[in-house]
């Protein structure tokens, strides 16, 4: 068998390969590469010179949809990867895109990434990652293709649900927790999609035109935290281009920022089918080509035979090949593939503990946006009949969502959970309300613009039936919002409106029953007119995963006090949103038609990020636009008060960006009558600078849980980096001396405490220092 493999490698590599008849010895049992007490780097460095050139090249491209071949001569098995951000994806055919059709590939579906971000709780992100890591081990996976770290630039991005919202600080905290959780299980995380992959329209070729400062302050920090704080083992490049070069061959992003400034030692893989060249991609920083020629022969991959030719021709130096291989070997060592036998602890799938974590996470994700006259929680003393309305109440979402889909054994829908939750004399009625569009499984390939079926038009009859049951109920719960057919990888949302018919339905139900509670699904905000003033309550549920329904019912009935906060600004209308508002042409979704293959910087679709730094609340603050709901906003069934703000400046000289410059001391009190969680948010504003800066920026957060009446004194340090902005003239993070306002509260528009910190001396740090 081994001979056969060797022969086939020789055949595709042609004459050059035949020359190497005596491969270097693999080393005996005491060889350092086998020694588990050595570092992954030392093991990789010992193994590298024992490989033939052919073996080296074989590690640099896939041998199946989600695998690389290992090193058969060394008894090192294949490396297996899996999507994705909500859990371990179902098994896909080894050389295709269809499901493998197995019955042992169920997994826990956790809530969508945007819901995790809504928890505003980095500790939960770690728990999230840990579940993924344990389930990945149980499913034999070595690399999990998550988390997704692209910033929400527009409410229309089809993949917003997979990411952590609009703010770089929040996304960074989530990234670090998530990655630490996954990698604590001996499984590699993969931070994706590096970088500026903020939309699905023309995702494979759009050229993002962006200034360096914006890139570094808004779009790169979550990746930087993944690399420099969480030490993520792998990175996936985006499909798109940035300032003229594809991400997979972007010298600035990969060689300069990632590998040189951030000192990334792991491996850079392409998104599936995202490599377009051999020499540029290899020289400019890609280390592994994935997803090319999935249904054909990988011999045709850019990093297969043509890479060998390039080495022989001297256009790619062997030192670069060695670096690429080392990076792959380090990851292989880190995930246990170099151990003999290459066994890891078993891992667990769908354990009670995982389901419990999934439930807590889904409850923590819910954001209460309106609650007039304490419409929620539902009071069983006063409510006997509950009308549940809306097809989304009776829909399982986890199995859709393209690469974020999970095959769940038993996803609890909101309707099921509400029925389970009620007491003996309560009664639940149900009406479909609207007909959701179907489909959504469509994918593949890097193109974007995958077919998504148009939602069916709603019939007046469905609305009449819903109004009828609402009128006869004590409470009406309308579960509406997006569904995966129009909110997933492959295409962007057509507009910020709710799917056809839903707004009319909600308006009619809210008129018929003043106790109407609206629950919205989706990965991003939707227009809430004309019904928001008539609805008694509004709850954002996102996509809750396996245990989402139960979590939602717990919130509705008060077994869980909601504590989620919006990880994105909720605009009143799309035109208020920065990527749709600057009046410039070339903003979302850009100009020009989709291109293929190698493109010159000026050809193919172009997109101008002309709103610059003013993404999300930064824009709404600067332009003084009233959002529907601000970034960071979220209600609770209890209330919180903030007091006693004072600052303790430290005497330390700010020798590094991590030095704490000042500690923010404050007290937070649960001033209501129920236990509850609150997210204390600290923003910094500096308005009198020579350089324009956003009006304020989130720089710290702390989640606390308090009993009624309980007070908690908090001391939260602010590092020097919190005060800096990126200065392209000096290539450094700098802060001008002067007064900085420290703002404390529980949303970007509710910051009752304020204090001034005076920075006496300028700060300047080189990137990576
Ligand atoms: C997606 C990635 C995913 C990969 C493998 C690509 O189309 O953009 O996020 O990890 O496919 O499924």
């Amino acid at each position: 068998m081994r001979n056969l493999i060797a022969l086939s490698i020789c055949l595709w590599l042609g004459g050059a390969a035949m020359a190497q008849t005596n491969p270097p010895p693999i080393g005996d049992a005491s060889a350092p590469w086998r020694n588990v007490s050595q570092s992954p780097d030392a093991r990789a460095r010992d193994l590298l010179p024992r490989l033939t050139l052919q073996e080296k090249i074989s590690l640099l491209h896939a041998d199946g949809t989600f695998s690389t071949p290992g090193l058969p001569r060394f008894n090192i098995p294949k490396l297996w990867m899996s999507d994705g951000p909500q859990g371990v994806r179902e098994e896909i055919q080894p050389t295709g895109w269809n499901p493998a059709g197995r019955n042992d590939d169920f997994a826990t579906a956790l809530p969508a990434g945007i819901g995790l971000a809504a928890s505003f709780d980095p500790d939960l992100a770690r728990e999230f990652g840990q579940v993924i890591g344990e389930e990945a081990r149980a499913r034999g996976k070595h690399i999990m293709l998550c988390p997704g770290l692209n910033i929400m630039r527009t409410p229309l991005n089809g993949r917003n649900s997979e990411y952590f919202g609009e703010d770089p600080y929040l996304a960074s905290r989530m990234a670090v927790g998530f990655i630490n959780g996954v990698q604590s299980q001996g499984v590699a995380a993969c931070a994706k999609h590096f970088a500026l992959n903020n939309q699905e329209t023309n995702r494979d070729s759009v050229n993002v035109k962006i200034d360096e400062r914006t890139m570094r302050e808004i779009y790169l920090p979550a990746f930087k935290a993944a690399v420099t704080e969480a030490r993520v083992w792998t990175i996936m490049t985006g499909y798109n281009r940035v300032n003229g070069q594809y991400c997979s061959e972007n010298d600035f992003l990969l060689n300069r920022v990632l590998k040189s400034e951030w000192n990334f030692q792991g491996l850079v893989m392409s998104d599936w089918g995202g490599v377009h060249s051999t020499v540029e991609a290899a020289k400019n920083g890609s280390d592994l080509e994935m997803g090319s020629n999935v249904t054909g022969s990988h011999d045709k991959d850019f990093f297969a035979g043509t890479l060998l030719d390039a080495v022989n021709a001297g256009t790619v130096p062997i030192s670069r090949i060695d670096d690429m291989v080392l990076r792959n070997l380090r990851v292989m060592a880190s995930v246990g593939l170099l151990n003999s036998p290459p066994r890891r602890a078993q891992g667990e799938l769908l354990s009670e503990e995982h389901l419990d974590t999934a439930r807590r996470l889904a409850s923590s994700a819910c954001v209460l946006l309106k609650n007039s006259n304490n419409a929620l929680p539902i009071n069983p003393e006063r409510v006997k009949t509950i009308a549940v309305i809306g097809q989304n109440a009776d829909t399982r979402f986890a199995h859709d969502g393209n690469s974020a889909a999970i095959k769940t054994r038993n996803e609890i829908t909101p309707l099921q959970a509400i029925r389970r939750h009620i007491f003996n004399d309560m009664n639940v009625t149900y009406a479909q309300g609207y007909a959701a569009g179907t489909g959504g499984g469509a994918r593949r390939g890097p193109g974007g613009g995958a077919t998504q079926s148009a939602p069916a038009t709603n019939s007046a009859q469905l609305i009449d039936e819903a109004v009828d049951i609402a009128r006869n109920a004590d409470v009406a719960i309308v579960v509406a919002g997006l569904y995966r057919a129009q909110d997933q990888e492959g295409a962007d949302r057509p507009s910020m409106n709710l799917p056809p018919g839903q707004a009319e339905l909600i308006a009619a139900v809210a008129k018929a029953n003043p106790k109407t509670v609206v629950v919205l699904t989706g990965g991003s905000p939707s227009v809430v007119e004309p019904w928001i003033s008539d609805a008694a309550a509004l709850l954002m549920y996102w996509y809750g995963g396996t245990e989402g329904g139960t979590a939602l019912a717990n919130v509705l009935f008060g077994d869980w006090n909601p504590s989620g906060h919006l990880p994105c600004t909720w605009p009143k209308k799309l035109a208020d949103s920065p990527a749709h508002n600057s009046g410039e042409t070339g903003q979302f979704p850009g100009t020009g038609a989709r291109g293929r293959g190698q493109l010159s910087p000026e050809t193919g679709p172009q997109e101008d990020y002309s709103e610059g730094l003013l993404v999300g609340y930064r824009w709404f603050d600067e332009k003084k636009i009233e959002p529907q709901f601000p970034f960071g906003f979220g209600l609770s069934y209890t209330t919180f008060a903030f007091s006693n703000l004072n600052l303790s400046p430290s005497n330390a000289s700010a020798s590094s960006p991590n030095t704490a410059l000042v500690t923010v001391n404050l007290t937070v009190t649960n001033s209501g009558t129920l236990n509850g969680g609150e997210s204390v948010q600290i923003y910094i504003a500096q308005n009198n600078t020579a350089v324009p800066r956003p009006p304020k920026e989130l720089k710290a957060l702390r989640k606390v849980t308090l009993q009624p009446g309980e007070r908690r004194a908090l001391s939260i340090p602010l590092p020097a980096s919190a005060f800096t902005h990126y200065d392209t003239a000096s290539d450094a993070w700098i802060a001008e001396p002067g007064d900085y306002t420290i703002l404390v509260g529980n949303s970007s528009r509710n910051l009752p405490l304020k204090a001034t910190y005076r920075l006496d001396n300028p700060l300047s740090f080189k990137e990576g220092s």
Side-chain angles (χ1 to χ4, degrees), residues 66 83 89 159 192-193 236 239 271 443-444 489:
F66 283 104
D83 287 303
R89 187 180 180 182
R159 295 186 88 169
K192 69 187 186 184
H193 309 86
M236 185 192 296
Y239 282 129
D271 200 342
R443 124 170 267 226
R444 277 310 320 185
E489 179 183 352

Side-chain angles (χ1 to χ4, degrees), residues 123-448:
D123 292 342
L124 285 184
R126 190 187 163 97
E127 289 190 50
F128 192 112
Q130 224 162 302
V131 170
I132 290 195
E134 276 181 19
E135 300 216 342
R137 272 198 277 123
R139 291 270 305 277
K141 307 300 176 196
H142 303 104
I143 301 180
M144 284 300 297
L145 304 172
C146 53
L149 300 182
N150 299 103
I151 290 292
M152 186 192 287
R153 175 173 177 253
T154 159
L156 301 191
N157 180 14
R159 295 186 88 169
N160 279 336
S161 71
E162 298 185 41
Y163 304 141
F164 295 145
E166 73 187 23
D167 182 71
Y169 178 79
L170 179 65
S172 303
R173 293 310 93 211
M174 292 299 143
V176 170
F178 189 118
I179 293 163
N180 281 336
V182 173
Q183 296 193 164
S184 71
Q185 300 306 307
V187 172
C190 179
K192 69 187 186 184
H193 309 86
F194 190 64
L196 284 303
N197 179 185
N198 308 106
Q199 69 185 49
E200 293 300 281
T201 308
N202 293 326
R203 67 172 176 172
D204 62 344
S205 50
V206 65
N207 181 28
V208 171
K209 297 199 272 187
I210 183 170
D211 66 278
E212 183 179 346
R213 180 175 169 207
T214 299
M215 209 184 315
R216 296 212 188 237
E217 290 188 24
I218 304 290
Y219 295 98
L220 299 188
F223 290 100
K224 179 178 174 181
V227 172
T228 60
E229 293 181 55
R231 310 252 167 240
V232 71
W233 294 339
T234 80
I235 295 268
M236 185 192 296
T237 51
Y239 282 129
N240 50 295
R241 294 178 291 161
V242 173
N243 292 335
Q245 278 180 323
Y246 280 109
C247 290
S248 58
E249 49 189 67
N250 198 297
D251 185 48
F252 174 82
L253 285 174
L254 302 182
N255 282 340
R256 174 159 160 204
V257 175
L258 179 65
K259 290 183 173 175
S260 166
E261 293 174 353
W262 299 347
N263 192 24
F264 177 64
Q265 297 295 313
L267 82 87
V268 175
M269 70 177 81
S270 69
D271 200 342
W272 269 233
V275 175
H276 302 274
S277 63
T278 297
V279 176
E280 274 76 16
K283 284 173 93 164
N284 290 350
S286 279
D287 305 309
L288 172 61
E289 177 184 7
M290 292 301 299
S292 304
N293 304 306
V294 160
T295 52
S297 157
H298 287 284
D299 304 357
K300 300 201 174 80
D301 287 3
F302 290 102
F303 282 3
T306 45
L307 184 55
L308 185 80
D309 292 344
V311 176
N312 287 336
T315 46
V316 174
I318 188 70
S319 58
R320 175 64 190 123
I321 300 292
D322 283 352
D323 177 53
M324 293 161 84
V325 175
L326 260 185
R327 289 170 180 277
N328 277 272
L329 291 177
R330 277 190 207 112
V331 174
M332 290 165 73
S334 301
V335 298
L337 277 170
L338 269 45
N339 299 354
S340 178
R343 217 181 288 129
R344 299 180 292 176
Q346 180 63 50
E348 256 188 304
L349 265 185
L350 288 165
S351 66
E352 273 311 310
E353 211 184 324
H354 291 178
L355 295 175
D356 181 61
T357 307
R359 201 156 44 243
R360 268 188 304 114
L361 283 160
S363 310
S364 307
C366 289
V367 186
L368 184 62
L369 294 169
K370 178 175 181 188
N371 196 18
S372 297
N373 302 322
N374 297 327
L376 288 177
I378 291 167
N379 181 344
E381 303 294 311
R382 291 201 217 119
V383 171
K384 296 301 164 212
T385 302
I386 302 176
V388 177
I389 293 163
Q391 192 174 332
N392 285 6
D394 196 23
T395 299
R396 294 189 167 80
F397 290 103
H399 67 279
D400 265 340
N402 274 333
S403 57
I406 307 293
K407 186 162 147 190
T408 53
R409 203 195 290 280
N410 188 15
E411 179 182 341
I412 318 283
T413 67
L415 181 59
Q416 274 178 325
I418 291 168
R419 282 194 170 130
R420 281 184 195 173
H421 216 97
I422 56 168
F423 302 85
N424 294 341
D425 57 343
M426 288 171 98
N427 169 35
V428 173
T429 52
Y430 172 70
Q432 185 184 335
Y434 53 86
T438 53
R443 124 170 267 226
R444 277 310 320 185

